[in-house]
Amino acid sequence: MKALITGINGQSGSYLAELLLEKGYEVHGIVRHSSSHNTGRIDHIINRLHIHEGDLTDSTSLYDIFYSVEPEEVYNLAAQSLVSTSFRVPEYTADVDAIGVLRMLEMCKNFGRPKFYQASTSELFGKVRETPQSESTPFYPRSPYGVAKLYGYWATVNYRESYDMFACNGVLFNHESPRRGEEFVTQKIVKAAVRIKRGLQDRLFLGNLDAKRDWGYAPDFVRAMWMMLQHSVPDDYVIATGETHTIREFLDAAFGYLALDWNEHVVISPEFFRPAEVNLLLGDASKAKRILGWEPQVKFKELVRIMIDAELANGSV
């Protein structure tokens, strides 16, 4: 079985690549051309992967890759994934996260109709219309990122219904791990807490501490991606833990694990507030449990401990 993963060098892409290799797949991945080394998350398995340079904004590169690989499963994980950045570069965000999905769907339509997974997001719910959020909850995105992802979601549904393609949306709530990018708040907190414990810094600047998120463990969530494409019928699924926690609670868990008081170190800065905030995200993954048999294995406090322990083991911090 040949699989193609866009964004294979990201957090989720690296875990998905490991999972598919364990299951005997021939794994191909797309990475953007860069003058700097950007494969750190997959260096430990790079010799077992087939890496291609390409870009979701460049149809020619995608055409060449699909023509040569002929994948049987495609996982579209590449995106401009920072909500805050999407406010600064909305046009680029739309080109990658919206039109980029359309380009991928066109490639799948024209090259053998492989099964297609689209990485959707809980940011689709934005200004939530009901709690918890399920597959039937109306969308109300609150950022250029969320709006672009909404286009990608409906494009996936449209191609499934128009061309009888096996195409699925995974509406994934926040998923974290030691491989999470430093620009995301969970990793920012974890790294700062460990540095403070080691006496390397004293202050951590954050925005809205009352925002609530449903945080899960990335390896659990990539397992759900694979399960969606193994089911007999393509569909869309919310993937979440069913628990919500504030950023204050994440601070409590991370700093508390290191016997620190975050109140002595955290400074609230207007710089880190969103122009339009998403205050509460809480997912209902009962459909995924009922149909796919998927459940998260790692809960909130264990997730925080995993991230802290990994950072403590990183002697370069």
Side-chain angles (χ1 to χ4, degrees):
M1 178 75 73
K2 285 194 284 189
L4 176 65
I5 305 171
T6 69
I8 194 171
N9 53 338
Q11 172 192 233
S12 296
S14 65
Y15 285 118
L16 179 60
E18 289 177 347
L19 176 68
L20 297 182
L21 286 173
E22 290 172 7
K23 295 184 177 298
Y25 279 67
E26 178 182 309
V27 180
H28 295 254
I30 299 179
V31 299
R32 286 186 300 154
H33 174 73
S34 174
S35 58
S36 60
H37 186 68
N38 63 353
T39 58
R41 294 184 181 94
I42 54 173
D43 279 346
H44 63 293
I45 54 172
I46 196 82
N47 292 333
R48 302 171 61 194
L49 302 173
H50 304 266
I51 301 299
H52 309 264
E53 285 191 352
D55 197 307
L56 263 62
T57 65
D58 177 16
S59 294
T60 300
S61 67
L62 297 178
Y63 180 96
D64 291 342
I65 292 167
F66 271 78
Y67 180 79
S68 63
V69 174
E70 297 182 337
E72 297 161 89
E73 293 181 0
V74 174
Y75 297 85
N76 186 38
L77 310 186
Q80 191 301 99
S81 57
L82 273 173
V83 172
S84 57
T85 299
S86 76
F87 283 100
R88 296 195 297 272
V89 289
E91 183 177 347
Y92 174 73
T93 300
D95 196 12
V96 177
D97 297 4
I99 305 304
V101 181
L102 183 69
R103 294 184 183 105
M104 290 294 293
L105 286 164
E106 274 292 294
M107 295 301 155
C108 290
K109 177 169 71 77
N110 294 324
F111 286 95
R113 307 283 176 95
K115 292 183 177 181
F116 179 77
Y117 170 84
Q118 167 59 17
S120 288
T121 170
S122 57
E123 291 286 334
L124 296 177
F125 298 117
K127 190 175 182 179
V128 298
R129 316 308 337 177
E130 64 182 15
T131 299
Q133 295 90 51
S134 70
E135 292 81 5
S136 61
T137 302
F139 296 135
Y140 196 142
R142 296 268 282 171
S143 65
Y145 169 76
V147 171
K149 281 289 194 175
L150 183 63
Y151 180 99
Y153 175 95
W154 283 116
T156 300
V157 173
N158 182 252
Y159 271 63
R160 181 172 71 221
E161 295 177 349
S162 300
Y163 303 111
D164 196 27
M165 290 171 56
F166 196 110
C168 302
N169 281 291
V171 184
L172 271 57
F173 280 63
N174 295 63
H175 42 291
E176 319 296 317
S177 76
R179 298 180 192 173
R180 189 59 142 157
E182 295 181 22
E183 63 274 19
F184 290 88
V185 68
T186 52
Q187 191 72 299
K188 183 178 179 181
I189 291 170
V190 165
K191 286 185 175 294
V194 171
R195 287 180 61 84
I196 290 168
K197 183 69 174 180
R198 290 175 171 166
L200 299 175
Q201 75 180 68
D202 187 56
R203 291 287 179 263
L204 168 60
F205 294 88
L206 294 174
N208 179 16
L209 302 189
D210 296 317
K212 296 179 178 179
R213 295 292 182 269
D214 185 329
W215 280 300
Y217 186 42
D220 280 345
F221 281 40
V222 301
R223 179 166 43 87
M225 300 174 188
W226 175 79
M227 294 173 77
M228 287 180 211
L229 296 198
Q230 311 318 305
H231 191 60
S232 57
V233 179
D235 206 346
D236 310 312
Y237 297 90
V238 164
I239 302 298
T241 70
E243 296 181 5
T244 191
H245 299 273
T246 64
I247 292 174
R248 291 178 190 275
E249 289 177 89
F250 200 101
L251 286 165
D252 284 337
F255 278 73
Y257 187 50
L258 295 170
L260 295 169
D261 182 356
W262 64 265
N263 291 284
E264 298 176 0
H265 304 281
V266 171
V267 178
I268 304 302
S269 171
E271 175 188 356
F272 297 107
F273 281 80
R274 297 182 182 182
E277 183 58 87
V278 173
N279 291 311
L280 170 61
L281 292 174
L282 174 62
D284 175 5
S286 57
K287 177 180 174 181
K289 179 180 179 180
R290 183 178 71 253
I291 296 177
L292 303 178
W294 179 87
E295 287 187 272
Q297 297 176 348
V298 173
K299 294 299 182 72
F300 177 71
K301 288 187 176 180
E302 184 182 355
L303 167 64
V304 177
R305 290 196 296 268
I306 289 171
M307 294 180 70
I308 291 285
D309 286 342
E311 199 61 30
L312 288 170
N314 182 3
S316 65
V317 176

